Amino acid sequence: MRILFYLLSIVAANVVTAAFAPLQFGVFIVPMGTLLIGATFIFRDLVQNKYGRAKTYGFIVTALILSAAVSFTLGDTLLIVAASALSFIVAESADTEIYSRLKLPMSWRVFYSGIVGGFLDSVIFVVIGLSPFGANILPWEAVPAAIVGQIIVKTIVQMIGAFILNQVHVRLEKKTVVS
């Protein structure tokens, strides 16, 4: 089930990004799929928690191929697909490695690894995919706002996910103590 949620969140992020115009909060520009991208890091951590790091890389490659295929099918240019693939593999790999190495409770590992993954995903995709360096969708003046807006949203999603995982852990511990 974890794998299904992981893969579906990636597909849904592509579909939502293609279907809806980006949100604008003041100067910040946030594609709608950003909400789901933050969740993909949490789902990936849950997959890794159950299946281990080595198998998780297999799921990341599967997700990468699925994401690229969906993105291209929805009309993204090859440059956008390539930028998305690069940002995805770098961010997911960083998230995986950080999550693996931290010796903290799961909720903190999810939070910290997701922040780094979200940061890398945002910077790489916006600079390579959207800036004048890439597809020239955003002018250089808008690039910082696009990056920061995505980082803020992904961080909030990570905080919510870490809080929920912590609450689940606390309830399971209480249930175990009572039993």
Side-chain angles (χ1 to χ4, degrees), residues 42-138:
I42 297 166
F43 291 135
R44 198 224 37 81
D45 291 337
L46 293 172
V47 167
Q48 182 177 349
N49 212 44
K50 181 166 183 158
Y51 296 101
R53 189 170 88 191
K55 286 185 180 176
T56 297
Y57 275 108
F59 298 128
I60 290 171
V61 169
T62 302
L64 174 69
I65 293 166
L66 185 61
S67 177
V70 169
S71 182
F72 187 72
T73 302
L74 291 171
D76 286 336
T77 66
L78 284 178
L79 182 60
I80 295 293
V81 172
S84 178
L86 178 63
S87 66
F88 181 85
I89 198 72
V90 169
E92 292 287 328
S93 296
D95 186 286
T96 299
E97 294 304 315
I98 291 167
Y99 182 86
S100 297
R101 288 170 170 72
L102 290 176
K103 304 299 180 212
L104 297 169
M106 182 182 178
S107 58
W108 286 108
R109 292 186 301 157
V110 165
F111 180 67
Y112 290 135
S113 65
I115 286 178
V116 174
F119 174 84
L120 291 170
D121 183 66
S122 300
V123 171
I124 293 168
F125 181 71
V126 172
V127 171
I128 294 176
L130 303 178
S131 77
F133 179 74
N136 202 23
I137 293 171
L138 295 175

